Amino acid sequence: MKIEQIYKVFDEYRGLSDSKLRPTEPKSEQFLKAFRELLDKKNNWPFLLPLRLALEACTHCGTCAEACPVYIGSGRNKLYSPVYRADMLRKIYKRYFTLTGKVFGSLVGAKEVTEQDINAMAEAAYRCTICRRCVLACPFGLDNGLVMREMRKIFAELGIIPEELKEEGVDNQLRYGSAPKISYEALMNILDFVRGEIEENRKNVSIEIPVDKVGAKYLIINNAGDYLSFLDTIRGIVEVMNYVNVDWTFNSPRTGVFDNVNYGLFYSDKDMLRVIRAHLETINKLKPEYVVIGECGHAYDVLGHLMKDLIPAEERPFKVIHIVELYDKFLREGKLKLDKHKNAEPVTFHDSCKIGRCGGIYDEPRRVIVASCRDFREMYPNREYNYCCGGGGGFALMSKYNFLDFRMKTYGRLKMQQVKDTAASTLITICANCKRQFLDMVSYYNLNINVSGLSEVLANALVY
Amino acid sequence: MDEYFTIFIGIYLPYITLVVFIVAVIYNFFKWIFLPRPIMWAIFPAKKSLANILFTIATRIFSLPGPRKFDKLIFTLAWMFHVGLIVSLTLHAKYIFIPHLPYEYEVGTIAGMLAAIGSVGFIIRRYVDKRADSYFADYFALILLIITLSLGQYIRMFRVVESTHLWTWVQGILTLNPIPPPVNTLFLIHIVFAQIYMIYLPFKTLIHPIAIFYGQKIILDQRHFKG
């Protein structure tokens, strides 16, 4: 669709379709009702404290803007400053939910909500990947990224959710076992192909790919998108697991959900919990000791962290780790014999927000990369200060209208410069959404760089 | 100045101010406690023990790592403003115990100037900076403070009021045996503005030094509460 045809409500881009946003339909009553429910202790206990802190204690110092990759990448467009976007909701909060706002109105920054405000906020909520880098800048630890996520939750109650996340994401996953609707037969064909490919490349190596094995030590659940778009990563996982010869398994749609994603994280606690419950049901059928999250960031955030405070311990009798933690364990146990000269080209590593800043995994991938690559180059800034690539918050899946331009001209522009500065020929990342964003960047900017997962890099360095 | 007005602002208003200030501060501190403990929502690297979390919060309050990394100007202004203000307030609080301190004049003058420069810097920055919108309430607190600080600085530098009289006035209020304040127009205006500021603080500006404990704890605490 041409840009001129797009009903602009916030900036020059659109991430939500007209059928979802319904820009001409009055929504203010529903909006205020959903907002009121969001501020209720029972409805929103997990996030109420950080939300209210962010709404009430921000001093508008603007320091957070300098940490925001979309603000910097856009050439410092005020619309993308975290404090500006969060203030859109803050003004309404003050007007309807605080005494000072009701009494003093605009003197304290309170504002009556309008239909234009609501449309603009719905789009603004999808201009932030919720990478949470801005939190590092705030002297008080306030989270304007969380405010964006809470805004998305309000709009989810109004049915305003990108189709890519809801219908093509969560709904498909719960109905078919994976967001891309991969059938059992298709999955088996893919895995057969992977087996054949490895055996052809590694002569005299016999490959087994256990599927749906009950009681295995490690149940590896991948981002199902990897089976379609990043098969090298699947090949890498299979090869490494065969190499170390441990008790492991993948799972299939026959056991329930075999896709580790949880797009509910990006717009609704209710849908996030629905997916967590579906994951639990599947995992508890297979009874593994460890659930290993394949190369995916937000899945690790949900199952590795958030689930622990949402689901009682007795309902989840297993440990959750990211696959890079497993590789690091194998490495430290001496189970991997590696020749780093097999990966001779310079490589760099992107810290995915959900795995690093929100997940705490920084050293493990670096140890594995240093052991398997000859020339590892850090990008700067890195670790908790690393810039989001722009694929987070569900953005990697969203490309309708001109949304790809937004991703590329803001986050993408900044990130690609960061990668270019390393002069690496391969970029390694351990999150499928990051990989998608990087592949789009390579194509958009016509760059000569290879985007890779860690599994295939590690597998390539194995010495038989 | 009218005698009744002097008595009101020097004897009655301080009690009103103290009650409003203390109640509002207690309310602002405890209102967060009654909200449910949130989900683990840390920014890593985070901490695993409460002692570590509290120690890190304490160091962050003084070192302001975020502004120091991302915005050197606000870091500098914030340091000048807060150090100046804390020292100035401490020199006022000493009247609870004693009328004089060694080097009080020099220290107080420098502190007052630091706080005033910080406040003026904040106002200019708010006006010039386009990253965030500022509202009347944001300017009001700073303007109120600048007026109070400027008058206080003048009173201190030119020794307009006798410090022993100030001490006995503060002692009188604290022991519930109030006496009239020193009668000087500038001093009376100074304490009027100071008290308006104290009444206003808990509803606007003072929220943030309380919120810092809760906000920083959330991002530093990596403990899950369901095991």
Side-chain angles (χ1 to χ4, degrees), chain A residues 3 13 77 98 187 273 308 343 407:
Chain A
I3 295 171
Y13 305 107
N77 182 345
T98 68
L187 179 69
L273 261 173
K308 287 185 181 172
N343 292 313
R407 282 166 45 202

Side-chain angles (χ1 to χ4, degrees), chain A residues 56 59 61 78 87 309, chain B residues 31 40 44 125-126 133 135:
Chain A
E56 292 185 27
T59 58
C61 71
K78 182 183 176 179
D87 242 23
D309 289 331
Chain B
K31 74 174 179 182
M40 196 290 288
F44 290 86
R125 188 178 171 281
R126 277 197 185 279
D133 290 331
Y135 310 108

Side-chain angles (χ1 to χ4, degrees), chain A residues 117-143:
Chain A
D117 291 336
I118 291 173
N119 289 332
M121 275 189 287
E123 277 292 335
Y126 289 93
R127 296 295 181 277
C128 165
T129 55
I130 317 169
C131 79
R132 304 184 67 213
R133 192 171 190 264
C134 57
V135 185
L136 289 167
C138 179
F140 318 117
L142 306 181
D143 195 339

Side-chain angles (χ1 to χ4, degrees), chain A residues 9-26:
Chain A
V9 294
F10 174 64
D11 55 7
E12 64 202 270
Y13 305 107
R14 275 289 294 276
L16 295 159
S17 63
D18 272 352
S19 62
K20 283 288 177 187
L21 181 60
R22 310 181 302 278
T24 54
E25 181 187 305

